Amino acid sequence: TAGITQAPTSQILAAGRSMTLRCTQDMRHNAMYWYRQDLGLGLRLIHYSNTAGTTGKGEVPDGYSVSRANTDDFPLTLASAVPSQTSVYFCASRGQGAGELFFGEGSRLTVL
Amino acid sequence: SQQGEEDPQALSIQEGENATMNCSYKTSINNLQWYRQNSGRGLVHLILIRSNEREKHSGRLRVTLDTSKKSSSLLITASRAADTASYFCATDGGAQKLVFGQGTRLTINP
């Protein structure tokens, strides 16, 4: 069972370049989320989507954009990367009426 | 700003001992959840306790919730080396968003 697949696993990016982190789920979950995890700061919500066609801003949305064209995919785009966006990014999903989140294995991004 | 704050930030115990981690939060919640993260991996859901529940068990895990004190605890009994991981509490205040704390890093020494 795949669950949530994130790609790439790891990426080094030059500052100013754009990058899209991919997230695909095969559980038909309505809600999807993007978090970033930084040492000492825990997980912070970047953007979320309650259902296909809708998105919302989380705690730290600046510099990031998302789209939700269908149920399965929730890509996160950095239009012009900056070094402060160096982090580990986690995608997660949750089913309708369910409590728990299912997480991907993360994408480690380094912006130089 | 973080909703949940875990205490302690790091905990090191001997195998076989019990491990207790605490979580405090600030606003009203629908439920509180605990997650585990092994090094370099994604988070895995452990247990969910609803706001009208006071205690919940799952295997060697015991979670308590005190909504009057806005706090929760996670107890792992008879710890094993494989329990070494970071543990996070997450609060669900509705609006489909979970807010995570900074985590407790647990080390079980053989």
Side-chain angles (χ1 to χ4, degrees), chain A residues 31 33 35 37 40-45 48 50 57-59 90 94 96 99-105 108, chain B residues 1-2 31 33 35 37 40-45 48 50 88 92 95-103 105:
Chain A
Y33 309 84
Y35 288 88
Q37 184 176 32
L41 295 176
L43 279 84
R44 293 180 291 169
L45 182 64
Y48 65 97
N50 288 335
K57 294 182 179 180
E59 183 184 358
F90 287 97
R94 179 157 67 171
Q96 182 70 29
E100 67 178 289
L101 263 62
F102 291 83
F103 281 84
E105 292 296 329
R108 182 177 297 274
Chain B
S1 61
Q2 296 294 329
N31 65 69
Q33 304 177 32
Y35 288 79
Q37 183 182 34
R41 305 296 299 274
L43 280 73
V44 176
H45 181 262
L48 179 154
R50 302 193 186 284
F88 295 86
D92 187 346
Q96 285 276 43
K97 291 184 284 185
L98 255 65
V99 180
F100 286 81
Q102 297 179 19
R105 190 170 61 255

Side-chain angles (χ1 to χ4, degrees), chain A residues 59-83:
Chain A
E59 183 184 358
V60 288
D62 294 342
Y64 306 95
S65 64
V66 292
S67 62
R68 188 88 185 276
N70 56 61
T71 297
D72 299 342
D73 302 300
F74 192 43
L76 176 73
T77 297
L78 290 68
S80 180
V82 295

Side-chain angles (χ1 to χ4, degrees), chain A residues 6 35-43 87-91 103-108, chain B residues 6 21 34-46 74 76 82-89 100-107:
Chain A
Q6 290 186 235
Y35 288 88
R36 60 176 289 173
Q37 184 176 32
D38 302 287
L39 194 63
L41 295 176
L43 279 84
S87 187
V88 182
Y89 291 86
F90 287 97
C91 180
F103 281 84
E105 292 296 329
S107 294
R108 182 177 297 274
Chain B
E6 283 96 340
M21 290 159 273
W34 285 90
Y35 288 79
R36 166 194 167 126
Q37 183 182 34
N38 287 10
S39 180
R41 305 296 299 274
L43 280 73
V44 176
H45 181 262
L46 293 176
L74 171 67
I76 303 174
D83 293 329
T84 293
S86 291
Y87 293 82
F88 295 86
C89 69
F100 286 81
Q102 297 179 19
T104 293
R105 190 170 61 255
L106 175 65
T107 302

